[in-house]
Coordinates of all heavy atoms in Angstrom, one line a residue:
G1361 N -1.3 13.8 7.5 CA -1.2 15.1 7.2 C -1.8 15.5 5.8 O -2.5 14.7 5.2
H1362 N -1.4 16.6 5.4 CA -1.9 17.1 4.1 C -1.7 16.2 2.9 O -2.6 15.9 2.1 CB -1.2 18.5 3.9 CG -1.4 19.0 2.5 ND1 -2.6 19.6 2.1 CD2 -0.6 19.0 1.4 CE1 -2.5 20.0 0.8 NE2 -1.3 19.6 0.4
Y1363 N -0.5 15.6 2.8 CA -0.2 14.7 1.7 C -1.0 13.4 1.7 O -1.4 12.9 0.7 CB 1.3 14.4 1.6 CG 2.1 15.6 1.2 CD1 2.9 16.4 2.1 CD2 2.1 16.0 -0.2 CE1 3.6 17.5 1.7 CE2 2.9 17.1 -0.6 CZ 3.6 17.8 0.3 OH 4.3 18.9 -0.1
N1364 N -1.2 12.9 2.9 CA -2.1 11.7 3.0 C -3.5 12.0 2.5 O -4.1 11.2 1.8 CB -2.2 11.2 4.5 CG -1.0 10.4 4.9 OD1 -0.2 9.9 4.0 ND2 -0.8 10.2 6.2
L1365 N -4.1 13.1 3.0 CA -5.4 13.4 2.6 C -5.5 13.7 1.1 O -6.4 13.2 0.4 CB -5.9 14.7 3.3 CG -6.1 14.5 4.8 CD1 -6.5 15.8 5.5 CD2 -7.2 13.5 5.1
R1366 N -4.5 14.4 0.5 CA -4.5 14.7 -0.9 C -4.4 13.4 -1.7 O -5.0 13.1 -2.7 CB -3.4 15.7 -1.2 CG -3.5 16.2 -2.6 CD -2.6 17.4 -2.8 NE -1.3 16.9 -3.0 CZ -0.3 17.8 -3.4 NH1 -0.5 19.0 -3.4 NH2 0.9 17.3 -3.6
G1367 N -3.5 12.5 -1.2 CA -3.3 11.2 -1.9 C -4.5 10.4 -1.9 O -4.9 9.7 -2.8
M1368 N -5.3 10.4 -0.7 CA -6.5 9.6 -0.7 C -7.5 10.1 -1.7 O -8.2 9.4 -2.3 CB -7.1 9.7 0.8 CG -6.3 8.8 1.7 SD -7.0 9.0 3.4 CE -5.6 8.5 4.4
A1369 N -7.6 11.5 -1.8 CA -8.6 12.1 -2.7 C -8.2 11.7 -4.2 O -9.1 11.3 -5.0 CB -8.6 13.6 -2.6
K1370 N -6.9 11.7 -4.5 CA -6.5 11.3 -5.8 C -6.7 9.8 -6.1 O -7.1 9.5 -7.2 CB -5.0 11.7 -6.0 CG -4.7 13.1 -6.1 CD -3.2 13.4 -6.2 CE -3.0 14.9 -6.2 NZ -1.6 15.3 -6.3
G1371 N -6.5 9.0 -5.1 CA -6.7 7.6 -5.2 C -8.2 7.3 -5.5 O -8.5 6.4 -6.3
R1372 N -9.1 8.0 -4.8 CA -10.5 7.8 -5.0 C -10.9 8.2 -6.5 O -11.9 7.6 -7.0 CB -11.3 8.6 -4.0 CG -11.5 7.9 -2.7 CD -12.5 8.6 -1.8 NE -12.0 8.6 -0.5 CZ -11.4 9.6 0.2 NH1 -11.4 10.8 -0.4 NH2 -10.9 9.5 1.4
K1373 N -10.2 9.1 -7.0 CA -10.5 9.6 -8.4 C -9.9 8.6 -9.4 O -10.1 8.7 -10.6 CB -9.9 10.9 -8.7 CG -10.6 12.1 -8.0 CD -9.9 13.3 -8.4 CE -10.6 14.6 -7.8 NZ -9.8 15.8 -8.2
G1374 N -9.1 7.7 -9.0 CA -8.4 6.7 -9.9 C -7.1 7.2 -10.4 O -6.5 6.6 -11.2
D1375 N -6.6 8.3 -9.8 CA -5.3 8.8 -10.2 C -4.2 8.2 -9.3 O -3.7 8.9 -8.4 CB -5.3 10.4 -10.1 CG -4.1 11.0 -10.7 OD1 -3.2 10.3 -11.2 OD2 -4.0 12.3 -10.7
F1376 N -4.0 6.9 -9.5 CA -3.1 6.1 -8.6 C -1.7 6.6 -8.6 O -1.1 6.7 -7.5 CB -3.2 4.7 -9.0 CG -4.6 4.1 -8.9 CD1 -5.2 3.5 -10.0 CD2 -5.3 4.1 -7.8 CE1 -6.4 3.0 -10.0 CE2 -6.6 3.6 -7.7 CZ -7.2 3.0 -8.8
E1377 N -1.2 7.0 -9.7 CA 0.2 7.4 -9.8 C 0.5 8.7 -8.9 O 1.4 8.8 -8.2 CB 0.6 7.7 -11.3 CG 2.1 7.9 -11.4 CD 2.5 8.0 -12.9 OE1 1.9 7.3 -13.7 OE2 3.4 8.9 -13.2
E1378 N -0.4 9.6 -9.1 CA -0.3 10.9 -8.3 C -0.6 10.6 -6.8 O 0.1 11.2 -5.9 CB -1.2 12.0 -8.8 CG -0.8 12.5 -10.2 CD 0.6 13.1 -10.1 OE1 0.9 13.9 -9.2 OE2 1.4 12.8 -11.0
A1379 N -1.5 9.7 -6.5 CA -1.7 9.4 -5.1 C -0.5 8.8 -4.5 O -0.1 9.2 -3.4 CB -2.9 8.4 -5.0
I1380 N 0.2 7.9 -5.2 CA 1.4 7.3 -4.7 C 2.5 8.3 -4.4 O 3.2 8.3 -3.4 CB 2.0 6.2 -5.6 CG1 1.0 5.0 -5.8 CG2 3.4 5.7 -5.3 CD1 0.9 4.1 -4.5
K1381 N 2.6 9.3 -5.3 CA 3.6 10.4 -5.1 C 3.3 11.1 -3.8 O 4.2 11.5 -3.0 CB 3.5 11.4 -6.3 CG 4.2 10.8 -7.5 CD 4.1 11.8 -8.6 CE 4.6 11.3 -10.0 NZ 4.4 12.3 -11.1
D1382 N 2.0 11.4 -3.5 CA 1.7 12.1 -2.3 C 2.0 11.3 -1.1 O 2.5 11.8 -0.1 CB 0.2 12.5 -2.3 CG 0.0 13.8 -3.1 OD1 0.9 14.6 -3.4 OD2 -1.2 14.0 -3.5
F1383 N 1.6 10.0 -1.1 CA 1.9 9.1 0.0 C 3.4 9.0 0.3 O 3.9 9.0 1.4 CB 1.3 7.8 -0.2 CG -0.2 7.8 -0.2 CD1 -0.9 7.1 -1.2 CD2 -1.0 8.5 0.7 CE1 -2.3 7.1 -1.2 CE2 -2.3 8.5 0.7 CZ -3.0 7.8 -0.3
R1384 N 4.2 8.9 -0.8 CA 5.6 8.9 -0.7 C 6.2 10.2 -0.1 O 7.1 10.1 0.7 CB 6.3 8.5 -2.0 CG 6.0 7.1 -2.5 CD 7.1 6.6 -3.4 NE 6.8 5.3 -3.9 CZ 6.9 4.2 -3.2 NH1 7.4 4.2 -1.9 NH2 6.6 3.0 -3.7
R1385 N 5.6 11.3 -0.5 CA 6.1 12.6 0.1 C 5.8 12.6 1.6 O 6.6 13.0 2.4 CB 5.4 13.7 -0.6 CG 5.7 15.1 -0.1 CD 7.2 15.4 -0.3 NE 7.4 16.7 0.2 CZ 8.5 17.1 0.9 NH1 9.4 16.1 1.2 NH2 8.7 18.3 1.4
S1386 N 4.6 12.1 2.0 CA 4.2 12.0 3.4 C 5.2 11.1 4.2 O 5.7 11.5 5.3 CB 2.8 11.4 3.5 OG 2.4 11.4 4.9
L1387 N 5.7 10.0 3.5 CA 6.7 9.2 4.2 C 8.0 9.8 4.3 O 8.8 9.6 5.2 CB 6.8 7.9 3.4 CG 5.9 6.7 3.7 CD1 6.1 5.6 2.8 CD2 6.0 6.3 5.1
E1388 N 8.4 10.7 3.3 CA 9.7 11.4 3.4 C 9.6 12.3 4.6 O 10.7 12.5 5.3 CB 9.9 12.2 2.1 CG 10.2 11.5 0.9 CD 10.2 12.3 -0.3 OE1 10.2 13.6 -0.2 OE2 10.3 11.7 -1.5
L1389 N 8.5 12.9 4.9 CA 8.4 13.9 6.0 C 8.3 13.1 7.3 O 8.7 13.6 8.4 CB 7.1 14.8 5.8 CG 7.2 15.7 4.6 CD1 5.8 16.4 4.4 CD2 8.3 16.7 4.8
D1390 N 7.7 11.9 7.3 CA 7.5 11.1 8.5 C 7.7 9.6 8.2 O 6.8 8.9 7.9 CB 6.1 11.4 9.1 CG 5.9 10.5 10.3 OD1 6.8 9.9 10.9 OD2 4.7 10.6 10.8
P1391 N 9.0 9.2 8.2 CA 9.3 7.8 7.8 C 8.5 6.7 8.5 O 8.4 5.6 8.0 CB 10.8 7.7 8.0 CG 11.3 9.0 7.9 CD 10.2 9.9 8.5
G1392 N 8.0 7.0 9.7 CA 7.3 6.0 10.5 C 5.8 6.0 10.3 O 5.1 5.4 11.0
N1393 N 5.4 6.8 9.3 CA 3.9 7.0 9.1 C 3.3 5.7 8.4 O 3.3 5.5 7.2 CB 3.7 8.2 8.1 CG 2.3 8.6 8.0 OD1 1.4 7.8 8.1 ND2 2.1 9.8 7.6
L1394 N 2.7 4.9 9.3 CA 2.1 3.7 8.8 C 0.8 3.9 8.0 O 0.5 3.1 7.2 CB 1.8 2.7 10.0 CG 3.0 2.1 10.6 CD1 2.7 1.2 11.8 CD2 3.8 1.2 9.6
I1395 N 0.2 5.0 8.2 CA -1.0 5.3 7.4 C -0.6 5.5 6.0 O -1.2 5.0 5.1 CB -1.7 6.6 8.0 CG1 -2.3 6.2 9.4 CG2 -2.8 7.0 7.0 CD1 -2.9 7.4 10.1
A1396 N 0.5 6.3 5.8 CA 0.9 6.5 4.4 C 1.4 5.2 3.8 O 1.1 5.0 2.6 CB 2.1 7.6 4.4
L1397 N 2.1 4.4 4.5 CA 2.6 3.2 4.0 C 1.5 2.2 3.6 O 1.5 1.6 2.6 CB 3.6 2.5 5.0 CG 4.5 1.4 4.5 CD1 5.2 1.8 3.2 CD2 5.5 1.1 5.6
N1398 N 0.5 2.1 4.5 CA -0.7 1.3 4.2 C -1.5 1.9 3.0 O -2.0 1.1 2.2 CB -1.7 1.3 5.4 CG -1.5 0.0 6.3 OD1 -1.6 -1.1 5.8 ND2 -1.2 0.3 7.5
S1399 N -1.5 3.2 2.9 CA -2.2 3.8 1.7 C -1.5 3.5 0.4 O -2.1 3.3 -0.6 CB -2.3 5.3 2.0 OG -3.1 5.6 3.1
I1400 N -0.2 3.5 0.5 CA 0.6 3.1 -0.7 C 0.2 1.7 -1.1 O -0.1 1.4 -2.3 CB 2.1 3.2 -0.5 CG1 2.5 4.6 -0.4 CG2 2.9 2.4 -1.6 CD1 3.9 4.9 0.1
A1401 N 0.2 0.8 -0.2 CA -0.2 -0.6 -0.4 C -1.6 -0.8 -1.0 O -1.8 -1.4 -2.0 CB 0.0 -1.5 0.8
S1402 N -2.5 -0.1 -0.4 CA -3.9 -0.2 -0.9 C -4.1 0.5 -2.2 O -4.9 0.0 -3.0 CB -4.9 0.3 0.2 OG -4.7 1.7 0.4
T1403 N -3.3 1.5 -2.5 CA -3.4 2.2 -3.8 C -2.9 1.2 -4.9 O -3.5 1.1 -6.0 CB -2.7 3.5 -3.8 OG1 -3.3 4.3 -2.8 CG2 -2.8 4.2 -5.1
Y1404 N -1.7 0.6 -4.6 CA -1.2 -0.4 -5.6 C -2.2 -1.5 -5.8 O -2.4 -2.0 -6.9 CB 0.1 -1.0 -5.1 CG 1.3 -0.1 -5.4 CD1 2.3 0.2 -4.4 CD2 1.5 0.5 -6.7 CE1 3.4 1.0 -4.7 CE2 2.6 1.3 -6.9 CZ 3.5 1.5 -5.9 OH 4.6 2.3 -6.2
Y1405 N -2.9 -2.0 -4.7 CA -3.9 -3.0 -4.9 C -5.0 -2.5 -5.8 O -5.5 -3.2 -6.7 CB -4.4 -3.4 -3.5 CG -5.5 -4.4 -3.6 CD1 -5.2 -5.8 -3.7 CD2 -6.9 -4.1 -3.6 CE1 -6.2 -6.8 -3.8 CE2 -7.9 -5.0 -3.8 CZ -7.5 -6.4 -3.8 OH -8.5 -7.3 -4.0
G1406 N -5.5 -1.3 -5.5 CA -6.6 -0.7 -6.3 C -6.2 -0.6 -7.8 O -7.1 -0.7 -8.7
A1407 N -4.9 -0.3 -8.0 CA -4.4 -0.2 -9.4 C -4.1 -1.6 -10.0 O -3.6 -1.7 -11.1 CB -3.2 0.6 -9.4
K1408 N -4.4 -2.6 -9.3 CA -4.1 -4.0 -9.7 C -2.6 -4.3 -9.9 O -2.3 -5.2 -10.7 CB -5.0 -4.4 -10.9 CG -6.5 -4.4 -10.7 CD -7.2 -4.8 -11.9 CE -8.7 -4.9 -11.7 NZ -9.4 -4.2 -10.8
N1409 N -1.8 -3.6 -9.2 CA -0.4 -3.8 -9.3 C 0.0 -4.6 -8.0 O 0.5 -4.1 -7.0 CB 0.4 -2.5 -9.3 CG 1.9 -2.7 -9.7 OD1 2.4 -3.8 -9.4 ND2 2.5 -1.7 -10.3
Y1410 N -0.3 -5.9 -8.1 CA -0.3 -6.7 -6.9 C 1.1 -7.0 -6.3 O 1.2 -7.0 -5.1 CB -1.0 -8.0 -7.2 CG -2.5 -7.8 -7.6 CD1 -2.9 -8.2 -8.9 CD2 -3.4 -7.3 -6.7 CE1 -4.2 -7.9 -9.2 CE2 -4.7 -7.0 -7.1 CZ -5.1 -7.4 -8.3 OH -6.4 -7.1 -8.7
Q1411 N 2.1 -7.0 -7.2 CA 3.4 -7.3 -6.7 C 3.9 -6.1 -5.8 O 4.5 -6.2 -4.8 CB 4.4 -7.6 -7.8 CG 5.8 -8.0 -7.2 CD 5.8 -9.2 -6.2 OE1 5.3 -10.2 -6.6 NE2 6.2 -8.9 -5.0
L1412 N 3.7 -4.9 -6.4 CA 4.1 -3.7 -5.6 C 3.2 -3.6 -4.3 O 3.7 -3.1 -3.3 CB 4.0 -2.4 -6.4 CG 5.1 -2.3 -7.5 CD1 4.9 -1.1 -8.4 CD2 6.5 -2.3 -6.9
A1413 N 2.0 -4.0 -4.4 CA 1.2 -4.0 -3.2 C 1.7 -5.0 -2.1 O 1.8 -4.6 -0.9 CB -0.3 -4.4 -3.5
I1414 N 2.2 -6.1 -2.6 CA 2.8 -7.1 -1.7 C 4.0 -6.5 -1.0 O 4.2 -6.6 0.2 CB 3.2 -8.4 -2.4 CG1 1.9 -9.2 -2.8 CG2 4.1 -9.3 -1.6 CD1 2.1 -10.3 -3.8
D1415 N 4.9 -5.8 -1.8 CA 6.1 -5.2 -1.3 C 5.7 -4.1 -0.2 O 6.4 -4.1 0.8 CB 6.9 -4.5 -2.4 CG 7.4 -5.6 -3.4 OD1 7.4 -6.8 -3.1 OD2 7.8 -5.1 -4.5
A1416 N 4.7 -3.3 -0.5 CA 4.3 -2.3 0.5 C 3.7 -2.9 1.7 O 4.0 -2.5 2.8 CB 3.4 -1.3 -0.2
Y1417 N 2.8 -3.9 1.5 CA 2.2 -4.6 2.7 C 3.3 -5.2 3.6 O 3.3 -5.2 4.8 CB 1.2 -5.6 2.3 CG -0.1 -5.0 1.9 CD1 -0.7 -5.2 0.7 CD2 -0.8 -4.1 2.8 CE1 -1.9 -4.7 0.3 CE2 -2.0 -3.5 2.4 CZ -2.6 -3.8 1.2 OH -3.8 -3.3 0.8
T1418 N 4.3 -5.8 2.9 CA 5.5 -6.4 3.6 C 6.2 -5.3 4.4 O 6.6 -5.6 5.6 CB 6.4 -7.1 2.7 OG1 5.7 -8.2 2.0 CG2 7.6 -7.7 3.4
A1419 N 6.4 -4.1 3.9 CA 7.0 -3.0 4.6 C 6.2 -2.7 5.9 O 6.7 -2.4 6.9 CB 7.2 -1.8 3.7
V1420 N 4.9 -2.6 5.7 CA 4.0 -2.4 6.8 C 4.2 -3.4 7.9 O 4.3 -3.1 9.1 CB 2.5 -2.3 6.4 CG1 1.6 -2.2 7.6 CG2 2.2 -1.1 5.5
I1421 N 4.2 -4.7 7.5 CA 4.3 -5.8 8.4 C 5.6 -5.8 9.1 O 5.7 -6.1 10.3 CB 4.0 -7.1 7.7 CG1 2.6 -7.2 7.2 CG2 4.4 -8.3 8.6 CD1 2.3 -8.2 6.1
E1422 N 6.7 -5.4 8.4 CA 8.0 -5.3 9.1 C 8.0 -4.3 10.2 O 8.7 -4.4 11.2 CB 9.1 -5.0 8.0 CG 9.4 -6.1 7.1 CD 10.3 -5.8 6.0 OE1 10.6 -4.6 5.8 OE2 10.7 -6.7 5.2
K1423 N 7.3 -3.2 10.0 CA 7.2 -2.1 11.0 C 6.2 -2.5 12.1 O 6.3 -2.0 13.3 CB 6.8 -0.8 10.4 CG 7.9 -0.2 9.5 CD 7.5 1.1 9.0 CE 8.6 1.7 8.1 NZ 9.6 2.3 8.8
N1424 N 5.1 -3.2 11.8 CA 4.1 -3.6 12.7 C 3.6 -5.0 12.4 O 2.6 -5.2 11.7 CB 2.9 -2.6 12.6 CG 1.8 -2.9 13.6 OD1 2.0 -3.7 14.5 ND2 0.7 -2.2 13.4
P1425 N 4.4 -6.0 13.0 CA 4.1 -7.4 12.7 C 2.7 -7.9 13.1 O 2.2 -8.9 12.6 CB 5.1 -8.2 13.5 CG 6.2 -7.2 13.8 CD 5.5 -5.9 13.8
S1426 N 2.0 -7.2 13.9 CA 0.6 -7.6 14.3 C -0.5 -6.9 13.5 O -1.6 -7.0 13.9 CB 0.4 -7.3 15.8 OG 0.5 -5.9 16.1
D1427 N -0.1 -6.3 12.4 CA -1.1 -5.6 11.6 C -1.9 -6.7 10.8 O -1.4 -7.1 9.7 CB -0.4 -4.6 10.7 CG -1.4 -3.8 9.9 OD1 -2.5 -4.3 9.5 OD2 -1.2 -2.6 9.7
M1428 N -3.0 -7.1 11.3 CA -3.8 -8.2 10.7 C -4.3 -7.8 9.3 O -4.4 -8.6 8.4 CB -4.9 -8.6 11.6 CG -4.5 -9.4 12.9 SD -3.7 -10.9 12.4 CE -2.1 -10.7 13.2
S1429 N -4.7 -6.5 9.2 CA -5.2 -6.1 7.9 C -4.1 -6.2 6.8 O -4.4 -6.7 5.7 CB -5.6 -4.6 8.0 OG -6.1 -4.1 6.8
A1430 N -2.9 -5.7 7.1 CA -1.8 -5.8 6.1 C -1.5 -7.3 5.8 O -1.3 -7.7 4.6 CB -0.6 -5.1 6.6
L1431 N -1.5 -8.1 6.8 CA -1.3 -9.6 6.6 C -2.3 -10.2 5.7 O -2.0 -10.9 4.8 CB -1.2 -10.3 7.9 CG 0.0 -10.1 8.8 CD1 -0.2 -10.5 10.2 CD2 1.2 -10.9 8.2
G1432 N -3.6 -9.8 5.9 CA -4.7 -10.3 5.1 C -4.6 -9.9 3.7 O -4.8 -10.7 2.8
W1433 N -4.4 -8.6 3.5 CA -4.4 -8.0 2.1 C -3.2 -8.6 1.4 O -3.3 -8.8 0.2 CB -4.4 -6.5 2.2 CG -5.8 -6.0 2.4 CD1 -6.2 -5.4 3.6 CD2 -6.9 -6.0 1.5 NE1 -7.5 -5.1 3.4 CE2 -8.0 -5.4 2.2 CE3 -7.1 -6.4 0.2 CZ2 -9.2 -5.3 1.6 CZ3 -8.3 -6.3 -0.4 CH2 -9.4 -5.7 0.3
R1434 N -2.0 -8.7 2.1 CA -0.9 -9.3 1.4 C -1.2 -10.7 0.9 O -0.8 -11.1 -0.2 CB 0.4 -9.3 2.3 CG 1.6 -9.8 1.6 CD 2.8 -9.7 2.4 NE 2.8 -10.7 3.5 CZ 3.8 -10.9 4.4 NH1 4.9 -10.3 4.3 NH2 3.6 -11.8 5.4
A1435 N -1.9 -11.5 1.7 CA -2.3 -12.9 1.4 C -3.2 -12.8 0.1 O -3.1 -13.7 -0.8 CB -2.9 -13.6 2.5
I1436 N -4.1 -11.9 0.1 CA -5.0 -11.8 -1.0 C -4.3 -11.5 -2.3 O -4.5 -12.1 -3.3 CB -6.1 -10.7 -0.8 CG1 -7.1 -11.2 0.3 CG2 -6.9 -10.3 -2.1 CD1 -8.0 -10.1 0.9
C1437 N -3.3 -10.6 -2.2 CA -2.5 -10.2 -3.4 C -1.7 -11.5 -3.9 O -1.7 -11.7 -5.1 CB -1.5 -9.1 -3.1 SG -2.3 -7.5 -2.8
R1438 N -1.1 -12.2 -2.9 CA -0.4 -13.4 -3.3 C -1.3 -14.4 -4.0 O -0.9 -15.1 -5.0 CB 0.3 -14.0 -2.1 CG 1.5 -13.2 -1.6 CD 2.1 -13.7 -0.4 NE 3.4 -13.1 -0.1 CZ 4.0 -13.2 1.0 NH1 3.5 -14.0 2.0 NH2 5.1 -12.6 1.2
F1439 N -2.5 -14.6 -3.4 CA -3.5 -15.5 -4.0 C -3.8 -15.1 -5.4 O -3.9 -15.9 -6.4 CB -4.7 -15.5 -3.1 CG -5.7 -16.6 -3.6 CD1 -5.6 -17.9 -3.2 CD2 -6.8 -16.2 -4.4 CE1 -6.5 -18.8 -3.6 CE2 -7.7 -17.1 -4.8 CZ -7.6 -18.5 -4.4
V1440 N -4.1 -13.8 -5.6 CA -4.5 -13.3 -7.0 C -3.3 -13.6 -8.0 O -3.6 -13.9 -9.1 CB -4.8 -11.8 -6.9 CG1 -4.9 -11.2 -8.3 CG2 -6.1 -11.5 -6.1
L1441 N -2.1 -13.5 -7.5 CA -1.0 -13.8 -8.4 C -0.7 -15.2 -8.5 O 0.3 -15.6 -9.2 CB 0.3 -13.0 -7.9 CG 0.2 -11.5 -8.0 CD1 1.5 -10.9 -7.4 CD2 0.1 -11.1 -9.4
G1442 N -1.4 -16.1 -7.9 CA -1.2 -17.5 -8.0 C -0.2 -18.1 -7.0 O 0.1 -19.3 -7.2
S1443 N 0.2 -17.3 -6.1 CA 1.2 -17.8 -5.1 C 0.4 -18.4 -3.9 O 0.4 -17.8 -2.8 CB 2.1 -16.7 -4.6 OG 2.9 -16.2 -5.7
Y1444 N -0.2 -19.5 -4.2 CA -1.2 -20.0 -3.2 C -0.5 -20.4 -1.9 O -1.0 -20.2 -0.8 CB -2.0 -21.2 -3.8 CG -2.7 -20.8 -5.0 CD1 -2.3 -21.4 -6.2 CD2 -3.6 -19.8 -5.1 CE1 -2.9 -21.1 -7.4 CE2 -4.2 -19.4 -6.2 CZ -3.9 -20.1 -7.4 OH -4.5 -19.7 -8.6
Q1445 N 0.7 -21.1 -1.9 CA 1.4 -21.5 -0.7 C 1.8 -20.3 0.1 O 1.7 -20.3 1.3 CB 2.6 -22.4 -1.1 CG 2.2 -23.8 -1.5 CD 1.5 -24.5 -0.5 OE1 0.3 -24.7 -0.6 NE2 2.2 -25.0 0.6
E1446 N 2.3 -19.3 -0.5 CA 2.7 -18.1 0.2 C 1.5 -17.3 0.8 O 1.6 -16.6 1.8 CB 3.5 -17.1 -0.7 CG 4.8 -17.6 -1.1 CD 5.6 -16.7 -1.9 OE1 5.1 -15.6 -2.3 OE2 6.8 -17.0 -2.3
A1447 N 0.3 -17.5 0.2 CA -0.9 -16.8 0.6 C -1.4 -17.3 2.0 O -2.0 -16.6 2.7 CB -2.0 -16.9 -0.4
I1448 N -1.0 -18.6 2.2 CA -1.6 -19.2 3.4 C -0.9 -18.7 4.7 O 0.3 -18.5 4.7 CB -1.4 -20.8 3.4 CG1 -2.2 -21.3 2.2 CG2 -1.8 -21.4 4.6 CD1 -2.0 -22.8 1.9

């Protein structure tokens, strides 16, 4: 919806904090919105906030265990943080 698109535009501009606010608003309106949840994770990744990205990717995986993209990006975040065993 509107908040997802606005969040994506803000994220592309590097305004990560405002992008996250829009994605969270989208989730408030539709708690099952995996696009918003994935967007939160990728925005945290883009902001180099890898632990929060891991948390968000984990939330995506809990809702959709077969999401290979979320599994892969979570592993990358863990690797960047030096959690090599967890990344495998």
